[in-house]
Amino acid sequence: MVNANVIFLGMAIAGGFFLLWVIFYFVPVGLWFQALVSDVKISLLQLILMRWRKVPPTIIVGAMIEGKKAGIELYRDMLEAHYLAGGHVPQVVHALVSASKANIDLTFQIATAVDLAGRDVFEAVQMSVNPKVINTPPVTAVAKDGIQLIAKARVTVRANIKRLVGGAGEETVLARVGEGIVSSIGSSESHKAVMENPDFISKVVLNKGLDSGTAFEILSIDIADIDVGKNIGAGLQIDQAEADLKIAQAKAEERRAMAVAREQEMKALGQEMKAKVIEAEANIPLAMSEAFRSGHLGVMDYYRMKNIEADTQMRESIARPAETGKKKPEKIG
């Protein structure tokens, strides 16, 4: 019986503590008293309703107390709406307080819009107060004299609060700065002029208004380093000369092949003409036989013709040295 009473008493005490925890959870008296002593007007009923709306009262009350102490008027329903929209209430309030202290015009609507856009509004305010330095990657460009230059720049930017929503980021700024460096070096007559006066690049690039449409304001562009690269102009001329040489060689080879083909054609034509001559000469004895049979050619005519041939051969042998082993033609008759 005693044990049952002890167990019952223990359960009653535990149940009482649990009931008190539930009461103080849904009725945050301590938080209400904290708001009261901080001169933040919020009713205990509103704190209870926040629990039912799934809004942490500590976040809202803490934000209102921070704004009150900084002299910024904040409204509970607007803070709750921003929290329910997925925003970061503490970051927004921190940003508003920092902007107020730095005399930066930042409204609650702009701060919440920037926060809901996925940007860290507090970091943006800090960047507006303390500008950020962005180092560009090495940018390669070629001057008009064909010499390649490799430049590195440091871009000092600060956040533009009004353009944080919908404005381009750091990548766009770096791309535009790189484009400006390439353009300014490419318009220089000589790489020596760029090396002697690198701030010329900074002035040209800065005057282009590269920060338009971005979430930043470019304060300065400083050329940190310039290195001389390859002689691109000479390399291009060498490549062009090699290409011209290959083209000339190809054309010469084409002409040689055409000449060889023409020579072979002429040789074939010569052989064809010789064959025709031989064929014609083969018909001479037949014609002579026919002439003998028909009586148009006599024996004396035939001997006179042979004598003329012998005289011709003799004259030719006298005109040039006789070849060894070759008999001189005999004269007939």
Side-chain angles (χ1 to χ4, degrees), residues 256-291:
R256 189 191 70 81
M258 292 177 64
V260 171
R262 182 63 179 169
E263 181 183 1
Q264 296 299 324
E265 289 178 0
M266 296 306 296
K267 285 183 179 180
L269 183 61
Q271 293 296 327
E272 183 181 355
M273 298 306 294
K274 285 181 181 180
K276 290 182 179 180
V277 170
I278 293 172
E279 183 181 0
E281 288 177 351
N283 292 327
I284 291 175
L286 298 176
M288 291 179 65
S289 299
E290 183 65 28

Side-chain angles (χ1 to χ4, degrees), residues 141-188:
V142 181
K144 288 185 178 180
D145 59 357
I147 304 299
Q148 182 187 67
L149 295 177
I150 304 171
K152 295 180 183 178
R154 290 191 179 97
V155 185
T156 304
V157 298
R158 67 182 176 191
N160 191 330
I161 303 295
K162 295 181 179 179
R163 289 201 300 240
L164 279 175
V165 179
E170 292 184 12
E171 293 80 6
T172 303
V173 173
L174 291 178
R176 290 181 180 179
V177 170
E179 180 184 354
I181 292 174
V182 171
S183 175
S184 58
I185 293 178
S187 62
S188 301

Side-chain angles (χ1 to χ4, degrees), residues 194-222:
V194 179
M195 298 289 291
E196 292 173 358
N197 192 16
D199 60 336
F200 166 75
I201 302 176
S202 303
K203 294 177 181 177
V204 172
V205 175
L206 198 58
N207 292 333
K208 288 180 177 291
L210 303 178
D211 53 3
S212 63
T214 66
F216 302 97
E217 178 184 354
I218 298 178
L219 300 179
S220 67
I221 300 175
D222 305 306

